[in-house]
Amino acid sequence: MFNSIKWRLTAIFFSVTAVFLFLMGFYLINSMEQYSFQNTQSRVLSYARLVADDLRDSFTGKPSKNYYQDYAHRAKNDINARVTVIDTSGKVLGDSTLDKDTMANHANHPEIKAAMRGGTGQSLRYSTSLRERMFYFAVPVKSDNRVLGIVRVAIPWSEIQAGQNHIRFTIGTAVVVALILMIIVVSSFTSSLVVPLQEMTQVAGEIAEGKLDRTLDVDSNDEIGALSRGLNYMAERLRDNIRQITEERNKVEAILASMNDGVIAVDCNGNILLINPAAERMFNIKYENSMGKGVIEVIRNYDLEKLLQTALMSEESITREVQIFIPDPKSFRISTAPLMSETGVVGVVAVLRDITAFREVERMKTDFVANVSHELRTPLTSIKGFVETLMDGAMEDPKTAAYFLEIINDETDRLNRLISDLLSLSKVEAKQGKIRKAALNLDKLIINTVSILSPQASEKNQILNVDIKIPLPVINADEDMIGQLLINLVDNAIKYTANGGRVDIRAERWNDSVKIAVSDTGIGIPRDSIPRLFERFYRVDKARSREMGGTGLGLAIVKHILEVHSGRIEVDSIVGQGSTFTVYLPAGNDPAF
Ligand SMILES: Nc1ncnc2c1ncn2[C@@H]1O[C@H](COP(=O)(O)OP(=O)(O)O)[C@@H](O)[C@H]1O
Ligand SMILES: [Mg+2]
């Protein structure tokens, strides 16, 4: 408290003013006392001289016995002081207070001595007769420069002192009052300085704590007003800056959050500084739990850790492909860049792109090419073998030749089917997004398809049954593609069902879709093969499929056709009992259909 400006200012003002006032008071008291004393002295002396003048004649004449005594008594009432008349021998002639005859000779009193010599005398003494200190003034009664007698006027010292005390009291009171007033004025003045300062201190503290909307009311034009305005301006600039920084941060956060690529930043020690939501999803981790931890602790991948360490040391951008197995096996292409500050590298930021799907597509492409080559080579090898045998002489035997040619013909057909299936597949794949859809009546299309395939069924003595619950909703689809889809499913059903079996095609409305189910009483499909049926060239039993003239592409084509029509397919099958392939196609929602 005593450190505050208020107290310091008050103390300085107080001590300076107090010293000044005390010095002034002292001087005033002194001079006033002197003045008052001189005033009393001159009053008493002039009275004494008056009395001396008045008595001059009596000294030359013959006054009565009690003349001076009576005169003194009268005079005492005039001046309210003790009046004594003394002759040149020191003998008291009259006294206003005591009986003159009882009084001793006064010739030795200093004031009397002085008056005897013709001057004025004065003396402060204790009066044994009156028992108090008295101030005595004595003047000679003169005639022609001869001293005839002495008039002495005495006033009690206490009376003079009372006057002086009064002066002291008045001036002392004035000094004290002035000091009190000064304290009040100074403390209210310093308050007017200090209160705004205290308010500023409080507001500055609140601003520092983040309450940036706090401002100071400025109502003065002095330095304190300027300081308040400065503080308000500073807070405003701070608000602006923080808003800008927040905006920037939000922008960066939004960018990081919307990225599909994972972003991980680490400091020089390899501890995580930042992870974006994509990276959180990739590694099934949480930013809050990973902050400040080592990468190896959080992602548990040695290659990633090593890559980041290399990047930290080399201070260059590095791109590398890394396999990460937790939580799922995945391939990432990771690009790193050093985080630079004025002092150098402070960390590394890594951008992780999940290229698992890309790698898978690549693998599938390679597999496909290998499969296609293999599928093409098999019939070609067979054809070449028979042609060579024919050329080597088998041609001579017409029976064998006819048999060989039949095989060659079959193999050529197979090649044809294979190529046309490949073309269909690449067509549906290529057509994705730009197919010719139109309103399509499924009942007609189903009946057409079945009639195309019915000779094949009757050859195997199979019952081919169609059951359509009319009316079927119209669908919005490419007629050729849906036709191909139906042919593939019904063809499979006939192919993989033994002679005398049964194939059922049922179509009906199913909520907002059309449901077409193709069931057979055929060989069925093992449970673990079902998920792979729609892969290209996948066949449960390769030899059997070949024997049946299959290419292994039919269901792959079906899958693609359904994809471009937003449809789906379900497979139910029991080995040895039969299979059901159920297709759902969304009903066309255009009222024109
Ligand atoms: N109705 C079905 N019954 C039993 N197996 C089937 C049926 N439909 C398809 N499959 C199995 O699925 C495989 C893939 O069919 P698909 O792609 O049409 O090839 P493909 O008919 O040329 O062999 C077939 O080889 C066969 O093993
Ligand atoms: Mg097929």
Side-chain angles (χ1 to χ4, degrees), residues 384-396 404 408:
K384 191 170 168 56
F386 285 110
V387 169
E388 276 172 359
T389 321
L390 280 174
M391 288 195 305
D392 284 349
M395 229 155 37
E396 310 305 321
F404 281 8
I408 290 173

Side-chain angles (χ1 to χ4, degrees), residues 421 487-489 491-492 495-496 545 550-555:
D421 273 0
I487 285 184
N488 270 312
L489 291 180
D491 174 63
N492 279 351
K495 256 192 332 198
Y496 300 109
S545 165
T551 59
L553 292 173
L555 287 180

Side-chain angles (χ1 to χ4, degrees), residues 158-185:
S158 61
E159 208 171 283
I160 292 172
Q161 243 182 352
Q164 289 182 342
N165 282 345
H166 179 71
I167 287 168
R168 280 177 199 174
F169 176 76
T170 311
I171 292 178
T173 313
V175 165
V176 170
V177 167
L179 272 180
I180 291 171
L181 277 177
M182 199 276 318
I183 289 179
I184 292 170
V185 168

Side-chain angles (χ1 to χ4, degrees), residues 270 294-297 301-310:
V295 173
I296 193 83
E297 229 181 301
N301 185 281
Y302 179 65
D303 291 340
L304 176 65
E305 160 98 356
K306 214 169 77 179
L307 172 62
L308 291 175
Q309 264 170 10
T310 319

Side-chain angles (χ1 to χ4, degrees), residues 524-541:
I525 306 156
R527 179 171 286 276
D528 50 352
S529 294
I530 292 180
R532 300 198 57 194
L533 288 183
F534 300 90
E535 287 175 20
R536 295 155 174 167
F537 299 115
Y538 180 79
R539 283 161 286 200
V540 176
D541 180 342

